[in-house]
Amino acid sequence: MTTFAELGLAPDILRALDEMGYASPTPIQEQVIPLALQGGDILGAAQTGTGKTAAFALPLIQRLLPFANTGTSPAKHPIRALILTPTRELAIQVEESVKAYCKHVPLRSLVVYGGVNINTQIPILKTGVEILVATPGRLLDHVQNKTLMLTQVNTLVLDEADRMLDMGFMPDLKRIVALLPAQRVNMMFSATFPEEIRKLADSILNNPAFIEVARNATAVTITQVMHPVHHERKRQLLAHLIKSRDLNQVLVFTGTKLGCNRLANELNKAGIHADAIHGDKTQQERIKALDAFKAGTIRVLVATDVAARGIDIEALPFVVNYDLPHNAEDYVHRIGRTGRAGAQGEAISLVSESETRYLRDIEKLIGNTLEPVIVPGFEPGAAEVPAYQSRAPRQPERHGERERGAPRGRPAAVRDALFDTPYTPSDAPRPDTAPAALRQAPKKQVAALFRSPVKPDTAGQ
Ligand code: AMP
């Protein structure tokens, strides 16, 4: 087994890793670190949970070691590395990791993100930091306020680039990149590679090495279970699973902010201590909920996709898809919260009839079928639908709302529709590890990289 020392990392960095209990590099670290130490551009296909933060942060820190100093003058601590992340939570976690890796070297780091008073960030920026972790919007606020300078940046990292795209940060990214010195090292990580991401990679990266670890590193560490259930009974089923299986530290995903709040309230009423995080919560509220969840004082954290992005809890044991995501890639991101860095985890999906199309998209993407496991007493047809609703016309289920006129008295038909239709993936699993999104014909420079042989991921094997 390769060691971090064999990857060429400096003793002071090795010491920090040792203290953090990192015994050996993960597959992405093994591949990225030697290349990044040489200063080459990197395009990484890796999801959260693979150890990608250390993969980019460790070589970045090592390459800054010649600049490390204990001088007090701000001029001695210009921003030399910029790490952009889509969310505040991820930014915070990345910077926490950077700080820990830098424990024995005099390099300073700082995280800046929106939603909090910008004035609290300015004094620290003024004292000088070498490594800045930022969300794009807040970074531009600082640029506009002239509270930071990017003229000495020699390394740019774009973390979770696909999510930045989803969140509409593309114009901000372009503006930021235009402010950086042309001579720099670039690393970009993304779990998925839609066309726009390939274009972005083409425009930012210079002859990058393409490094991929299987998105379904999930397959080896995460057990995926799917419970078919009538949507009206999801809450009871969830409470039943948590209580009967004595589940703790359960991260539950809902599709809407409203549904998120409601579910947390209902779980609390059912005697299960829960809290919710979503985009309408303040940063302080989110951090408080996350800390309580990490500390185990709350048992269930209900979250929307955006709010949960970047949540990093050591060996999070359970992730529940209360609502299936409409975007199949979010499924991969969600379940990536469990079974991290080699730990075991379980991803539980509660699937109602109206979600079967999302289920199929997910199965197509992961190249696998999720076996339905019916929980006795929660058979999908067994909804307790109030009589007055039974004559209303059928409408598609919407997240956060009850489906009116749900099918009644036709359990067999419901089950048929749900699970008995044979499912044949049109994009059958292939022996290679490339995610489906990568298999489409890519373009230009990055296209060549997608065709080059990649080292198969051996995580957890
Ligand atoms: P990431 O994918 O970067 O979010 O990392 C996921 C989790 O794995 C974090 O909690 C890291 O601290 C942890 N981690 C990263 N690399 C290693 C390693 N080589 N050994 C043990 N844990 C690691």
Side-chain angles (χ1 to χ4, degrees), residues 159-191:
D159 195 9
E160 305 204 345
D162 49 355
R163 181 55 55 151
M164 288 206 241
L165 189 75
D166 289 352
M167 293 174 69
F169 283 133
M170 194 56 87
D172 284 355
L173 285 183
K174 288 188 176 149
R175 282 181 61 201
I176 293 167
V177 170
L179 296 168
L180 304 177
Q183 200 64 30
R184 56 170 204 267
V185 170
N186 303 286
M187 293 188 256
M188 177 169 147
F189 290 82
S190 192

Side-chain angles (χ1 to χ4, degrees), residues 5-278:
E6 283 164 353
L7 297 182
L9 291 171
D12 284 341
I13 298 177
L14 293 174
R15 186 143 66 99
L17 295 178
D18 192 42
E19 287 166 11
M20 292 175 79
Y22 288 17
S24 56
T26 64
I28 186 122
Q29 292 163 1
E30 214 173 300
Q31 295 180 65
V32 168
I33 292 171
L35 288 171
L37 282 176
Q38 287 166 20
D41 277 11
I42 306 246
L43 177 58
Q47 62 190 83
T48 305
T50 52
K52 68 179 163 58
T53 311
F56 65 72
L58 297 175
L60 176 157
I61 292 166
Q62 177 138 330
R63 291 184 56 257
L64 292 186
L65 286 180
F67 302 104
N69 72 89
T70 51
T72 49
S73 158
K76 293 196 160 216
H77 303 278
I79 299 169
R80 299 189 188 272
L82 178 63
I83 303 172
L84 295 174
T85 77
T87 64
R88 325 170 225 207
E89 283 80 7
L90 183 62
I92 291 169
Q93 274 159 16
V94 167
E95 201 266 337
E96 273 173 8
S97 296
V98 167
K99 223 178 210 84
Y101 305 144
C102 284
K103 188 170 169 203
H104 301 295
V105 296
L107 286 170
R108 302 173 181 179
S109 63
L110 177 70
V111 59
V112 296
Y113 46 84
V116 292
N117 188 341
I118 194 166
N119 293 327
T120 58
Q121 298 166 348
I122 295 172
I124 311 175
L125 274 172
K126 278 195 177 149
T127 62
V129 295
E130 279 88 3
I131 304 169
L132 184 68
V133 185
T135 52
R138 179 49 59 98
L139 183 79
L140 285 171
D141 293 342
H142 280 293
V143 169
Q144 200 157 3
N145 283 356
K146 299 194 170 38
T147 38
L148 57 75
M149 296 261 290
L150 298 173
T151 50
Q152 308 240 23
V153 170
N154 64 19
T155 308
L156 170 69
V157 178
L158 299 185
D159 195 9
E160 305 204 345
D162 49 355
R163 181 55 55 151
M164 288 206 241
L165 189 75
D166 289 352
M167 293 174 69
F169 283 133
M170 194 56 87
D172 284 355
L173 285 183
K174 288 188 176 149
R175 282 181 61 201
I176 293 167
V177 170
L179 296 168
L180 304 177
Q183 200 64 30
R184 56 170 204 267
V185 170
N186 303 286
M187 293 188 256
M188 177 169 147
F189 290 82
S190 192
T192 56
F193 283 83
E195 181 63 25
E196 281 247 56
I197 288 291
R198 290 183 207 143
K199 279 192 196 149
L200 182 71
D202 260 343
S203 67
I204 292 180
L205 306 174
N206 181 17
N207 199 17
F210 177 57
I211 292 180
E212 180 190 13
V213 295
R215 68 186 314 136
N216 49 2
T218 58
V220 285
T221 53
I222 302 175
T223 312
Q224 298 174 61
V225 191
M226 189 267 274
H227 296 306
V229 61
H230 192 284
H231 69 93
E232 299 247 349
R233 303 217 54 211
K234 281 190 176 185
R235 184 187 58 72
Q236 286 120 303
L237 175 57
L238 179 61
H240 168 79
L241 292 171
I242 291 170
K243 285 183 173 169
S244 64
R245 295 185 51 198
D246 195 21
L247 307 182
N248 283 296
Q249 275 214 314
V250 189
L251 178 62
V252 178
F253 286 94
T254 60
T256 63
K257 298 174 204 168
L258 187 65
C260 187
N261 276 338
R262 250 188 222 168
L263 181 61
N265 287 339
E266 286 169 354
L267 288 172
N268 279 313
K269 276 188 212 149
I272 297 166
H273 198 180
D275 204 347
I277 57 167
H278 52 69

